Amino acid sequence: MISIRPHKLFIYAITACIACIPSFGSPAGKNNDWIDEIDSYVNSNPDSAIILCNDAIREHYPLDGSEKVALLTIRGNANFTLGNYDTAKADFRKAADLAFDIADTLAYINALSDLGVAYRVSQQQDSAMACYNHALNMIKDGRFPDMEANILTSLAILFANQGRLKEAIPFAEKGWKKAKLTDDIETQIYAASSLGSALFLAGDHNRGLATQRSIIKIAERKGIPRYILKTYASVIAMHNRLGNTDSVNYYINRGRTLLDKVPEASIESVGFLEQSFVVLTKMGRYKESLDIQMKILNMLDSRPFMPLHLLYQRIALNYKGLGDIERMNDAYIKAIEIADSIHQSDINKQMSDFNARYHAAEKELAIAALRHEKSRRGMIIAILAGVIAATSLLLIIYLRSRRRKTELANIKARIEGIEQERGRLAHELHDGVCNDLLGIELALAGGRNDTAEISEMLRTTRNEVRSISHELLPPSFNRLSLSQLIAAYAYKSDGFVEYLPSQDQIDLDMEQSMNLYRIIQEWIANIRHHGAARYATISLKQSGNETILDICDNGIAFNPDEANSSGLGIDNIRQRVKAINGTIDFTRRNNINIMSVKIFK
């Protein structure tokens, strides 16, 4: 008989090599052996478990009622592991109905419990509660403490997921009490971890940690490395949340000593490694975290709990922390590509399903047309509706693909903009501040004692450094509006910039405001250092659905199409304008240069 296993109540998805399966032609008395073997694939290779269950049921091997219930339950758990919740619920319902018909109480309770879990993750809380209550009412005689422990714990998780921790904790405590009556270490880990997590989330950190430590001691007393490793992941997360760095390091180091004693791609190994790299990134230990991520990716048989595109996003965060912008960019691009491929697979499946339904409908309409000539008009309308639906689906697919490409282009544009800004600031430091300091050094070395001249040179250098440092500081949009930040920028320009505020209400989001502010900084720096301008004016106004930024200066004539204009940061400005769906225009009237940026709602 198949007992409820706590690990089936979570979605584990790791790949494993399939061993040789015994022939289904075995005598009926040996059926339990190969049923148990199929059950062993539910977590390691759920696809194979489903295929084997289908073969056994379809080929009508000599199965009694209880064996068929077991196969339906196994198939339901395999579908659950793959995330096919509706299919899993259908299998569990069939198993429960059959178990009820043949009066197999244990199998009936087992199927009800699994069905309750499937309802819970499908957000059908009322149905889940009904399954759990019905199952509990059948085992109150205490004959099955392991099953009672799992159902009570599942009820605790049901309440906890709804934020009702005060109601969750009593169920979790009862589940832990029942679990301690069994010898099943996995049931005990499931119950204790759930109770510890509920207590911790409710703010009772000491009891939560104490419960977690108690199951760690039980696992260590058993001396089985994979069980010990399984208990470390949640306690690491708890200590990290409390800021107990020493405890985090202690359990990470203890876990590392066990990794060689556990199969590399096992559930316990991958789960511990994933929790470790998440915590190490938060602690700023980017290199250690990155090494673990690379180890997981290099495991031939591992299927991480974390979706692969999210794993690459975590990898990008570590590269960012290490200052490796190029590899950070590569990781983000990889994450987007994987997310796109998953999205495209879903679309392809939808299109295949639609195509099959469309052709089936087309055949049915053709038969109906032969029988009933008068129904031609209805057939034409149906075909037109199918064509319209197909066209709409293709349009949706095209728009989604276009949006993904736009997101990728925006990421690349931002990174290129960062690099160009660094280059511009480096040139300003080299051509301005460094040359001024060299002049002061030569003056002092030549024995010139004109303190007024040297003081003026130092004041100029100080102003240059202050101007560059102001450009490096991010604007404080959480405290000031864009108009207020521009006014502050003009005030700090020593009279070079005049801001002409408007009475209009400027309607911009954070990203648009940030990019406009950086455009102002970039352009003012260009005209001040390269355009020979003596002053500049800035105006920002709202005209209907357009926001208009104008910057005017009295510098030399500027032609954005000339070859020597590329060094003035024009490419960077244009990329920022494009990122906020705007336009940019350069004109010159009455010896005044005008740069105008328009943003459309």
Side-chain angles (χ1 to χ4, degrees):
M1 189 55 56
I2 308 299
S3 62
I4 297 178
R5 300 187 179 183
H7 61 276
K8 289 184 183 177
L9 305 179
F10 300 96
I11 303 177
Y12 289 157
I14 59 170
T15 318
C17 296
I18 301 180
C20 222
I21 309 294
S23 169
F24 283 118
S26 306
K30 296 183 179 180
N31 282 352
N32 283 339
D33 292 337
W34 50 259
I35 288 177
D36 288 341
E37 188 152 5
I38 295 173
D39 188 38
S40 69
Y41 298 137
V42 167
N43 291 321
S44 62
N45 202 308
D47 290 313
S48 295
I50 292 171
I51 292 171
L52 294 171
C53 285
N54 289 341
D55 287 344
I57 295 171
R58 184 170 55 247
E59 296 300 329
H60 305 290
Y61 289 103
L63 300 172
D64 61 28
S66 294
E67 290 167 345
K68 189 171 182 181
V69 170
L71 288 170
L72 287 169
T73 304
I74 291 170
R75 191 172 70 181
N77 277 306
N79 277 304
F80 184 92
T81 299
L82 292 171
N84 304 327
Y85 301 134
D86 289 338
T87 308
K89 286 184 287 188
D91 283 335
F92 292 142
R93 280 193 291 266
K94 290 177 183 177
D97 290 342
L98 180 56
F100 183 81
D101 291 341
I102 63 175
D104 190 333
T105 303
L106 187 60
Y108 182 57
I109 295 170
N110 187 12
L112 278 178
S113 178
D114 285 347
L115 181 58
V117 175
Y119 277 132
R120 189 188 77 215
V121 300
S122 300
Q123 303 303 314
Q124 296 174 269
Q125 313 299 354
D126 292 340
S127 298
M129 182 69 75
C131 288
Y132 292 147
N133 283 335
H134 190 35
L136 272 180
N137 289 332
M138 299 187 68
I139 55 175
K140 284 187 175 179
D141 55 7
R143 286 185 300 160
F144 309 114
D146 56 339
M147 301 185 77
E148 193 171 354
N150 285 306
I151 294 171
L152 288 167
T153 302
S154 295
L155 276 166
I157 294 173
L158 180 65
F159 282 105
N161 286 346
Q162 298 179 14
R164 299 162 64 176
L165 292 171
K166 289 184 178 179
E167 295 165 273
I169 290 173
F171 282 108
E173 289 175 332
K174 292 176 184 177
W176 175 222
K177 183 178 179 180
K178 291 289 182 181
K180 287 189 287 187
L181 299 177
T182 74
D183 292 327
D184 188 344
I185 182 63
E186 292 195 63
T187 297
Q188 293 178 357
I189 290 175
Y190 176 50
S193 296
S194 299
L195 174 59
S197 298
L199 290 169
F200 191 88
L201 290 173
D204 195 344
H205 298 156
N206 290 333
R207 280 189 67 200
L209 278 170
T211 304
Q212 199 64 40
R213 283 194 290 265
S214 68
I215 194 61
I216 289 176
K217 289 180 180 178
I218 293 174
E220 290 177 338
R221 193 161 57 246
K222 291 283 185 179
I224 303 175
R226 70 185 186 92
Y227 290 148
I228 300 172
L229 204 60
K230 195 172 185 177
T231 62
Y232 283 174
S234 53
V235 78
I236 289 172
M238 290 181 182
H239 279 301
N240 180 61
R241 186 167 177 179
L242 294 175
N244 299 336
T245 305
D246 291 341
S247 296
V248 170
N249 290 331
Y250 172 78
Y251 284 107
I252 287 178
N253 291 333
R254 288 282 298 272
R256 284 173 175 171
T257 63
L258 298 173
L259 287 174
D260 291 338
K261 302 175 183 178
V262 177
E264 185 181 56
S266 66
I267 292 172
E268 295 78 16
S269 177
V270 176
F272 171 78
L273 290 172
E274 286 193 1
Q275 183 60 57
S276 296
F277 78 64
V278 169
V279 170
L280 289 171
T281 298
K282 290 180 180 178
M283 295 171 66
R285 294 160 64 177
Y286 306 114
K287 182 63 170 61
E288 293 178 64
S289 177
L290 189 61
D291 289 342
I292 294 175
Q293 291 165 339
M294 293 299 105
K295 180 176 181 178
I296 292 175
L297 288 177
N298 290 330
M299 290 180 185
L300 295 178
D301 292 332
S302 78
R303 189 186 303 169
F305 300 159
M306 183 180 295
L308 201 55
H309 66 285
L310 296 182
L311 177 57
Y312 273 100
Q313 288 182 17
R314 295 273 186 173
I315 290 172
L317 288 177
N318 282 328
Y319 279 128
K320 180 181 178 182
L322 294 171
D324 193 335
I325 301 301
E326 183 177 352
R327 289 186 178 176
M328 178 196 77
N329 182 30
D330 291 342
Y332 273 129
I333 291 173
K334 183 70 174 178
I336 292 172
E337 288 176 349
I338 293 171
D340 278 343
S341 67
I342 296 171
H343 175 70
Q344 189 62 45
S345 296
D346 292 340
I347 290 174
N348 289 338
K349 185 177 184 300
Q350 292 172 20
M351 291 183 68
S352 297
D353 292 343
F354 174 81
N355 186 53
R357 290 196 299 270
Y358 177 78
H359 286 298
E362 191 178 46
K363 290 178 181 178
E364 290 174 4
L365 287 171
I367 295 171
L370 292 173
R371 293 178 178 175
H372 306 283
E373 187 65 28
K374 293 180 181 180
S375 65
R376 290 182 61 193
R377 181 177 298 177
M379 180 182 68
I380 293 172
I381 292 173
I383 292 174
L384 286 175
V387 171
I388 292 171
T391 304
S392 301
L393 180 60
L394 290 173
L395 179 60
I396 291 170
I397 293 170
Y398 169 76
L399 292 176
R400 287 181 178 178
S401 177
R402 183 178 175 184
R403 185 180 64 185
R404 293 282 185 176
K405 290 179 180 178
T406 301
E407 290 174 354
L408 182 57
N410 286 340
I411 291 174
K412 290 182 178 179
R414 290 192 185 101
I415 293 173
E416 289 171 4
I418 290 171
E419 295 303 317
Q420 289 191 17
E421 283 188 3
R422 285 180 173 177
R424 179 178 64 78
L425 291 171
H427 283 301
E428 288 187 9
L429 286 169
H430 180 271
D431 297 339
V433 176
C434 290
N435 286 339
D436 291 341
L437 291 173
L438 178 61
I440 295 170
E441 179 183 359
L442 293 174
L444 293 173
R448 289 160 58 186
N449 296 320
D450 189 347
T451 56
E453 180 183 358
I454 293 175
S455 295
E456 178 62 21
M457 294 170 70
L458 287 172
R459 187 186 70 80
T460 301
T461 303
R462 184 191 64 196
N463 289 339
E464 284 283 336
V465 173
R466 184 176 64 182
S467 175
I468 292 172
S469 66
H470 285 165
E471 289 189 19
L472 288 172
L473 289 173
S476 305
F477 287 105
N478 58 334
R479 298 190 301 274
L480 301 175
S481 67
L482 176 60
S483 184
Q484 290 171 326
L485 284 170
I486 296 173
Y489 178 79
Y491 176 77
K492 295 175 183 177
S493 69
D494 294 332
F496 180 81
V497 176
E498 179 183 6
Y499 177 48
L500 306 176
S502 168
Q503 298 301 318
D504 301 331
Q505 179 66 33
I506 307 302
D507 185 15
L508 296 173
D509 59 29
M510 179 72 75
E511 182 180 4
Q512 291 171 327
S513 298
M514 176 73 76
N515 277 288
L516 274 186
Y517 186 80
R518 292 303 190 196
I519 287 169
I520 291 169
Q521 286 183 311
E522 181 85 17
W523 188 244
I524 292 298
N526 287 340
I527 62 177
R528 191 169 192 173
H529 296 98
H530 305 292
R534 296 190 302 278
Y535 71 89
T537 62
I538 302 174
S539 66
L540 183 66
K541 60 185 178 181
Q542 191 78 30
S543 178
N545 291 330
E546 295 181 359
T547 302
I548 303 172
L549 168 69
D550 287 330
I551 302 178
C552 305
D553 70 87
N554 65 343
I556 59 176
F558 170 71
N559 183 356
D561 297 324
E562 290 179 357
N564 60 0
S565 298
S566 60
L568 299 180
I570 301 303
D571 289 341
N572 190 21
I573 290 174
R574 281 178 170 152
Q575 286 173 356
R576 287 190 180 277
V577 171
K578 184 178 179 181
I580 56 177
N581 193 28
T583 63
I584 186 169
D585 185 47
F586 300 91
T587 57
R588 183 174 175 85
R589 294 195 299 268
N590 300 325
N591 295 324
I592 297 296
N593 296 311
I594 304 172
M595 184 195 74
S596 182
V597 176
K598 294 182 180 179
I599 303 175
F600 308 92
K601 282 190 179 179

